[in-house]
Amino acid sequence: MNSPAWLRADLMRVEDLLLEAAGDSLNSLVSDASTHLIRAGGKRIRPALVMLSSRSGGPGRATDLSAAAIELVHLATLYHDDVIDETETRRGVPTVHSKWGIEIAVLAGDFLFARGCTLGAEAGGEVPGILARAIAEVCQGQIIETMTIGDPRRSVDEYLGTIERKTAALFRAACELGTATAGSTPEDRSALMTYGHKLGLAFQIVDDLLDLVGDPAETGKIPGTDLREGVFTMPVLLACERDGSLAERLAGGDRELNTVLPKLEATRALESTYQTAAGLAEDAIGALRSIPDSEWRAHLEYLIESVLAQIPKEAVT
């Protein structure tokens, strides 16, 4: 499904706001570092969720500002994540810390947080509070994940609690921002926030699967990156629960994908993880049933379907 013309126009306005806000500095280094990932492209799924959800009411300037604000917040988290994970490339370009150094990357991420909050303040109303709560959730999730690096005995429930904060919080907030700035009904707001929450969980689970079985030409990542860094995601944790010898090997430092992947296949952990993502996708689509048929609702359904479609079924069965 191609994006409708009005959504493409919406996102073009948001793109202009992103470049204007991130590039708002008299110093060229600040502008170059802060707009680096914006110019590299990206799916812009969070601002798209803001704009799509706003169609349940009457979108306006505050909606555009909110869409740009949440993308700036997301970009800021990527700058910081790349420093923590020592990632060398993202979106096909060098990461900011590998190009300009750790200090510049951290400060540029802080700058993007600040610029996102500035746009949120300009939008006014409920927007600053929604953004602040989402930022706090994301930071909590990242701290928890960092503290569990290298622990193969973490439970799947703990993993799900982490990604609720780290990823789903921004998806849910995007839908809340769209409805809050458009004056949507409480019923539509609740339904769309549930949709965003479930979509965010499914998105992260699929992303974690792609780290293990994805095509690097498509993902832009070397397979097994999280595994080697000791970030054990749902399929690995499930396999450890089902085969204690794998947990022992991982704890001992054997984290190469070619030795771990057979265990993931033998324990059917990949298939179980995919089924969890598929169940969340069904829940997301179910949350939209109370909303009348429309082009924008159909596109929300397409988004969740496209997330699952990234995983070839033969790769997880």
Side-chain angles (χ1 to χ4, degrees), residues 2 9 33 48 54 56 61 65 111 124 126 134 142-145 162 172 219 232 246 265-267 284 289 317:
N2 292 323
S54 74
S56 60
R61 171 69 174 173
L65 292 167
F111 180 74
E126 295 182 70
Q142 187 60 60
I143 290 169
I144 294 167
E145 181 176 271
T162 299
R172 184 177 65 248
T219 65
F232 302 136
L246 176 59
E265 294 168 343
T267 58
R289 292 197 181 112
T317 56

Side-chain angles (χ1 to χ4, degrees), residues 42-246:
K43 297 175 183 176
R44 304 289 189 259
I45 188 169
R46 293 156 192 82
L49 288 174
V50 176
M51 305 312 299
L52 287 163
S53 296
S54 74
R55 292 284 160 168
S56 60
R61 171 69 174 173
T63 308
D64 289 1
L65 292 167
S66 298
I70 202 162
E71 183 68 4
L72 289 174
V73 167
H74 170 58
L75 288 165
T77 67
L78 296 184
Y79 277 43
H80 290 172
D81 282 355
D82 286 343
V83 170
I84 294 168
D85 299 337
E86 300 180 355
T87 308
E88 293 300 313
T89 61
R90 183 179 287 276
R91 298 179 179 174
V93 299
T95 53
V96 174
H97 76 85
S98 65
K99 187 175 176 67
W100 285 287
I102 290 175
E103 295 86 352
I104 298 299
V106 171
L107 292 169
D110 292 344
F111 180 74
L112 291 174
F113 269 128
R115 295 303 295 146
C117 291
T118 299
L119 293 185
E122 185 179 343
E126 295 182 70
V127 173
I130 294 170
L131 280 175
R133 289 192 294 273
I135 291 169
E137 287 286 307
V138 171
C139 291
Q140 288 183 72
Q142 187 60 60
I143 290 169
I144 294 167
E145 181 176 271
T146 301
M147 293 301 295
T148 59
I149 288 176
D151 180 9
R153 294 178 177 84
R154 180 170 59 136
S155 73
V156 170
D157 284 345
E158 288 173 318
Y159 160 84
L160 291 171
T162 299
I163 68 170
E164 275 189 327
R165 295 178 173 92
K166 181 184 172 184
T167 304
L170 277 188
F171 281 70
R172 184 177 65 248
C175 294
E176 186 175 13
L177 287 168
T179 55
T181 56
S184 305
T185 66
E187 293 76 17
D188 284 352
R189 180 169 177 163
S190 176
L192 286 161
M193 287 175 65
T194 298
Y195 165 86
H197 178 73
K198 300 295 184 180
L199 171 62
L201 290 172
F203 181 93
Q204 186 61 61
I205 292 171
V206 166
D207 193 61
D208 291 339
L209 276 169
L210 288 171
D211 182 68
L212 297 166
V213 300
D215 181 349
E218 297 289 334
T219 65
K221 294 175 62 178
I222 299 171
T225 297
D226 287 344
L227 180 66
R228 283 187 295 276
E229 292 172 351
V231 180
F232 302 136
T233 56
M234 185 172 180
V236 177
L237 296 172
L238 273 176
C240 287
E241 287 180 0
R242 296 171 181 179
D243 184 342
S245 68
L246 176 59

